[in-house]
Amino acid sequence: MTFSSNQNSRRKFIKSTALAGTAMSLVSPSMLFGETKAEKIRLAFIGTGERGRGQLSVALYRDDVEITALADPHAEVLNKAAKMVEERQGNKPALYGNGDYDYKKLLERDDVDAVYIATPWVWHVPMGVDAMRAGKAVAMEVSGATDLQECWDLVNVQEETGTPFMFMENVNYRRDVMAVMNMVREGLFGEMIHLEGGYQHDLRGVKFNDGKSPYGQGVKFGDEGYSESKWRTNHSVHRNAELYPTHGLGPVATTVNVNRGNRFEYLTSMATKSRGLHEYIVNHPNGGKDHPNAKVNFRLGDVVTTLIKTANGETITLNHDTNLPRPYSLGFRYQGTKGLWMDINDSLYVEGVSEPHRWTDDKEFMEQYDHPLWKKYGKQAATAGHGGMDFFVMHAFIEAWKRKAPMPLDVYDAASWMAVTCLSEESISKGSEPVQFPDFTRGKWINRKPIFAFDDSY
């Protein structure tokens, strides 16, 4: 959509703000830490299922990574990953598949600098803690927390050991999200007031399958399921909470500098009734009203809405919507005193630039504010998963480790974002009462400076 009467003013505005620079660009990692300190990282993977092998493929195509070991109790996926390494590197990595705890032997190896953890959610924190205590840098896949103690365990062990830790939230590196972060930093929308995000993704074909293939084809889960349906669906059976907060929360949190001059103070959460998963089973060709799983009582509300208040006065809304038919959307909204952007219609509105009361297509702005990382590595990232985001989150972890620099998404981010799950569960159980966030930084948030993605380093 174009508006000829405002075209010139809009272009002038974009040009002037771009030239003005980033007022909030307080810290450049390359300025602080200089040139790369190490040439190669020896990386091991704990968890070689669908997600683990996806990121393994990203790591294997880097010249600065050597895969030395793999761990997974399931022989089928472990052997698939081992074959990938052999084909790319020409040598077979050490394999650890003798039960759930064989990964601990992997952590004893001298040829492992870091581990990538891509296991079922309940294993993330115990494995991350064990790895840090063993002196291995940790790249941990995202999830919600089971309880607050998990979050404190991560923080306490990282602080005790000083072991590098990064929370691998790939959506922070989504191209449009990074461009909008630039718009916010350069003042396009004025002062931030309200932000939204979420996980709005029809996962019925992930939560149920035929026990043989990872997606769809049946209504089995748990012991009879395969891949994620084997473990992920049980969270929907037993928990009523914002189960997967970080895809929607991570990008908006870094944009308003949570844990670095800002923090989450409290939240309140509400859940709808649960109907979607039951109806999927009943209506599936391989299910029906007499199928045993049609008798399962799913606790997870079909739509869970969570509202968070920050110390600096912004509100953040999260929506978790995975049980109903719908197109995929993370539902981002960044709104300030001068305008806003919404991803659902790829549009924005800037007062004095857009035609009054009319949305403006965001394409021109996305090109103007495209992040330096995407300009530099966009072509290289094109073959990586999730539209290239997987390249960038892996790149950030490896580059920060090589430079001995702080991880851009650190243990405090992991703890505060993961905590949303158990805090929302508590709020829902208490009739949507407000629940306070712990301060996982123990007051350090007041003086910590933003470092996330201020240049094209990582």
Side-chain angles (χ1 to χ4, degrees):
M1 186 178 295
T2 58
F3 307 103
S4 57
S5 61
N6 287 276
Q7 198 73 272
N8 289 334
S9 61
R10 183 163 72 250
R11 286 176 177 162
K12 289 178 181 177
F13 184 82
I14 293 173
K15 184 177 180 180
S16 64
T17 53
L19 292 173
T22 305
M24 291 179 61
S25 184
L26 300 177
V27 178
S28 169
S30 61
M31 290 171 61
L32 278 179
F33 303 102
E35 297 301 317
T36 298
K37 301 296 184 182
E39 293 183 358
K40 182 171 286 192
I41 183 172
R42 297 171 298 177
L43 182 62
F45 273 73
I46 302 176
T48 58
E50 297 294 323
R51 181 57 181 163
R53 295 198 309 279
Q55 284 298 72
L56 176 61
S57 68
V58 175
L60 282 171
Y61 279 86
R62 294 185 64 103
D63 294 333
D64 54 0
V65 175
E66 179 186 359
I67 306 300
T68 55
L70 306 170
D72 197 297
H74 302 287
E76 177 187 357
V77 297
L78 183 61
N79 290 332
K80 284 182 180 180
K83 185 178 179 180
M84 291 170 61
V85 177
E86 281 188 87
E87 290 177 351
R88 181 65 181 174
Q89 291 186 174
N91 62 291
K92 187 174 181 178
L95 302 181
Y96 295 84
N98 187 23
D100 290 341
Y101 294 93
D102 209 23
Y103 76 89
K104 292 190 176 186
K105 294 181 181 177
L106 179 153
L107 296 177
E108 296 173 0
R109 297 183 66 90
D110 294 331
D111 61 351
V112 173
D113 299 313
V115 295
Y116 194 110
I117 298 171
T119 52
W121 296 342
V122 296
W123 286 97
H124 287 187
V125 171
M127 289 174 169
V129 165
D130 287 344
M132 285 189 285
R133 284 180 172 151
K136 312 302 183 186
V138 174
M140 193 177 85
E141 270 295 334
V142 300
S143 68
T146 302
D147 55 42
L148 288 180
Q149 187 57 50
E150 279 194 336
C151 302
W152 281 115
D153 288 346
L154 278 179
V155 169
N156 291 338
V157 173
Q158 199 284 324
E159 289 182 343
E160 290 166 9
T161 64
T163 309
F165 176 98
M166 179 157 165
F167 200 44
M168 303 299 279
E169 180 44 76
N170 61 354
V171 181
N172 275 71
Y173 293 90
R174 204 172 93 172
R175 191 164 198 162
D176 59 346
V177 166
M178 296 195 84
V180 174
M181 180 179 67
N182 273 347
M183 296 178 200
V184 171
R185 286 174 171 175
E186 297 190 18
L188 185 66
F189 304 122
E191 183 181 357
M192 282 291 98
I193 300 296
H194 177 73
L195 304 98
E196 296 183 7
Y199 193 59
Q200 301 176 130
H201 189 185
D202 182 356
L203 291 183
R204 295 172 300 169
V206 173
K207 294 183 180 184
F208 302 106
N209 55 42
D210 60 1
K212 301 175 182 177
S213 53
Y215 305 119
Q217 310 301 320
V219 294
K220 295 180 179 180
F221 73 95
D223 292 339
E224 294 185 336
Y226 179 80
S227 190
E228 289 185 60
S229 77
K230 201 169 191 66
W231 56 266
R232 185 170 188 162
T233 316
N234 276 322
H235 289 269
S236 300
V237 175
H238 298 290
R239 306 189 72 182
N240 193 11
E242 167 46 272
L243 289 181
Y244 203 55
T246 70
H247 282 345
L249 186 58
V252 301
T254 50
T255 297
V256 294
N257 302 320
V258 170
N259 296 322
R260 296 179 180 277
N262 198 4
R263 66 173 291 252
F264 301 139
E265 286 194 334
Y266 63 91
L267 64 70
T268 182
S269 194
M270 183 178 293
T272 69
K273 55 191 173 184
S274 177
R275 295 291 185 270
L277 298 183
H278 172 77
E279 290 196 8
Y280 182 80
I281 294 168
V282 170
N283 296 323
H284 197 282
N286 296 324
K289 61 184 177 68
D290 295 322
H291 192 281
N293 288 341
K295 299 177 176 61
V296 174
N297 180 28
F298 295 96
R299 293 194 66 189
L300 178 64
D302 289 338
V303 178
V304 178
T305 305
T306 300
L307 188 62
I308 301 172
K309 185 67 179 293
T310 72
N312 289 351
E314 302 94 355
T315 53
I316 299 171
T317 300
L318 293 179
N319 290 294
H320 183 268
D321 175 359
T322 62
N323 297 347
L324 299 171
R326 61 160 300 128
Y328 175 86
S329 170
L330 296 187
F332 285 117
R333 170 177 166 183
Y334 291 59
Q335 188 165 14
T337 55
K338 296 180 180 178
L340 74 162
W341 170 75
M342 297 184 70
D343 75 341
I344 199 165
N345 56 358
D346 295 320
S347 295
L348 50 72
Y349 180 84
V350 180
E351 190 172 46
V353 177
S354 303
E355 183 175 337
H357 306 289
R358 298 279 187 178
W359 289 107
T360 299
D361 187 286
D362 66 11
K363 182 179 179 181
E364 186 178 349
F365 289 82
M366 290 296 172
E367 293 173 355
Q368 183 67 46
Y369 288 91
D370 195 19
H371 196 277
L373 276 168
W374 275 94
K375 291 179 181 179
K376 184 175 181 179
Y377 294 107
K379 291 182 180 179
Q380 190 173 341
T383 58
H386 295 92
M389 295 186 293
D390 288 350
F391 166 87
F392 287 102
V393 71
M394 180 70 77
H395 177 75
F397 171 69
I398 293 169
E399 287 299 317
W401 181 88
K402 286 162 58 179
R403 298 162 191 256
K404 295 180 171 54
M407 293 291 167
L409 304 176
D410 64 15
V411 73
Y412 303 117
D413 297 320
S416 57
W417 303 352
M418 291 173 67
V420 170
T421 297
C422 41
L423 296 177
S424 69
E425 189 170 34
E426 180 181 352
S427 178
I428 290 168
S429 71
K430 294 180 177 179
S432 302
E433 283 187 7
V435 178
Q436 300 294 316
F437 272 85
D439 175 12
F440 294 106
T441 74
R442 298 181 174 94
K444 292 191 289 289
W445 67 272
I446 296 173
N447 294 314
R448 296 178 84 222
K449 305 301 182 185
I451 65 169
F452 179 75
F454 279 103
D455 58 25
D456 64 1
S457 300
Y458 53 88

